[in-house]
Every structure is written in structure tokens, then in C-alpha cells.
Amino acid sequence: MTTSWDDAVLDPDTPAGADGVTLGLAVAVPEPWAGELVERRAATGDPVARSVPPHVTLVPPLVVAPGQVEAVAAHVRERAAGCEPFVLHLAGAGTFRPVSQVSFVRVAAGATECDALQSRLRCGPLARELRFPYHPHVTVGHDVPDAALDRAERDLAGFEARFTVEHVSLFRCDADGVWRVVSLAPLAADGGAGAACRGA
């Protein structure tokens, strides 16, 4: 389970009291599946359903100084370039209950690649410890009643999506609380097809 995008981790290099920019790194779920998952999450009553695009988290939210944003983007581009594109297969639903009030769509294939990618990214300006072991997933309900999560899991039991991940999305949480993509970092390793991320 990963830290939720509803929680932000303060970067240790950000001075106390400084205005910060909240960033997150993820694999964004493309259309036509993204729209369906937004509606499924909204149906649970989750208040951030239309503010947080469907995604698989790579690096949980963190707050950086405004002047660090471009350095973070450059770091992500450099690290992502050492990884091959890969196929992500989403299928079925699960939950983190009772540890966390979350229901999600499962990653059926591509979890190993997501893990290698998040590990490769989490260094330099993104170096930090995770609150929970990394577990790639797509949240479809968070901190809503059990009945709503049960319904989401039933409704998504047959959900399936398969797409090629070709870039990492750098998201920023804007003043209106909406997460928006501000930069894309291509996966472009020069090894053979399906090669793992190069180096740590």
C-alpha cells in the first residue's frame, strides 16, 4: 500500500513555513478507462473523485520549494529515460481494509515494472522512505463508508484495461485542489524490448 495522494510529505529541504508546491509522480490511466474510473469513484461519494485523475502512484505526494520544480522534472526525465516502455494490465478490484479505508483496481501485470520504476525515481530530490511497502494500484474509493467501497468492488470485479506505459506523469496539486499534469518524462531505455530499468 502506498501513501495516499490525499497526504503530502514535506520535503526535508523545504524551509519551514515556506510556500511549497505539491508534486506527485504516477502512471496516468488513459481514456477510455479514465473516465469510467472517475465515475466509479464519484459514485462512492469520494470528494476527490474529480480532482485526482485515475493513476498508479510511483512517488507519493511531496512538497518542494517552488524553485525546485524544474530540478525535480529534470531528475524524472533522466531517471525515466533508463526504463523501457511496458504493458500495464488492470483487472478486478481489491481493498486495503481494515488497514486503510481504500478500494482499488488491481494491477494484474506490470507491477514488477512499476516497482522498478518507482525505486529508480526515488533518489536525489525525490529520496524518501515510504510509509508502506510499495503496492501499485488505482484507487477507486478512499475514506468513504464500507457499503460504498463494497459496491465499488462488486461493480469493478470485471473491470479490465490494458495499455502501454510510455511515460511518467509529473502531477502538481493546484490551488483549487485539482491534480494536473505539468510534465511528461518518456520511458526510452536503449536496451532490448522489455528490459528492466537500468541501474539504481
Side-chain angles (χ1 to χ4, degrees):
M1 178 168 49
T2 59
T3 301
S4 165
W5 279 44
D6 299 310
D7 304 319
V9 180
L10 181 65
D11 189 297
D13 295 326
T14 303
D19 290 334
V21 179
T22 304
L23 304 174
L25 289 168
V27 172
V29 177
E31 296 294 352
W33 306 287
E36 178 182 353
L37 293 177
V38 167
E39 295 306 319
R40 295 289 191 182
R41 186 166 183 174
T44 70
D46 191 325
V48 303
R50 303 189 190 281
S51 301
V52 181
H55 66 279
V56 175
T57 297
L58 295 172
V59 177
L62 66 152
V63 179
V64 302
Q68 289 184 295
V69 174
E70 181 48 43
V72 169
H75 168 81
V76 175
R77 288 192 296 269
E78 187 275 327
R79 301 302 283 176
C83 293
E84 285 280 352
F86 61 94
V87 173
L88 191 65
H89 180 200
L90 306 176
T95 184
F96 289 133
R97 292 179 287 172
V99 176
S100 182
Q101 195 73 0
V102 172
S103 290
F104 56 85
V105 169
R106 298 180 183 276
V107 173
T112 299
E113 291 86 347
C114 286
D115 192 16
L117 184 53
Q118 67 86 23
S119 179
R120 181 173 172 80
L121 291 168
R122 222 169 8 91
C123 63
L126 299 178
R128 64 211 352 94
E129 295 298 320
L130 297 178
R131 291 175 57 194
F132 302 100
Y134 184 70
H135 186 292
H137 64 280
V138 180
T139 297
V140 291
H142 182 204
D143 284 349
V144 295
D146 282 317
L149 296 182
D150 291 341
R151 183 171 61 252
E153 290 168 38
R154 287 195 303 270
D155 291 347
L156 288 164
F159 178 85
E160 191 163 5
R162 192 189 304 266
F163 55 92
T164 300
V165 178
E166 298 180 328
H167 53 256
V168 172
S169 296
L170 175 62
F171 284 85
R172 179 186 64 211
C173 186
D174 290 332
D176 59 1
V178 176
W179 288 85
R180 296 182 173 90
V181 175
V182 295
S183 179
L184 297 176
L187 304 183
D190 55 12
C197 292
R198 289 200 306 261

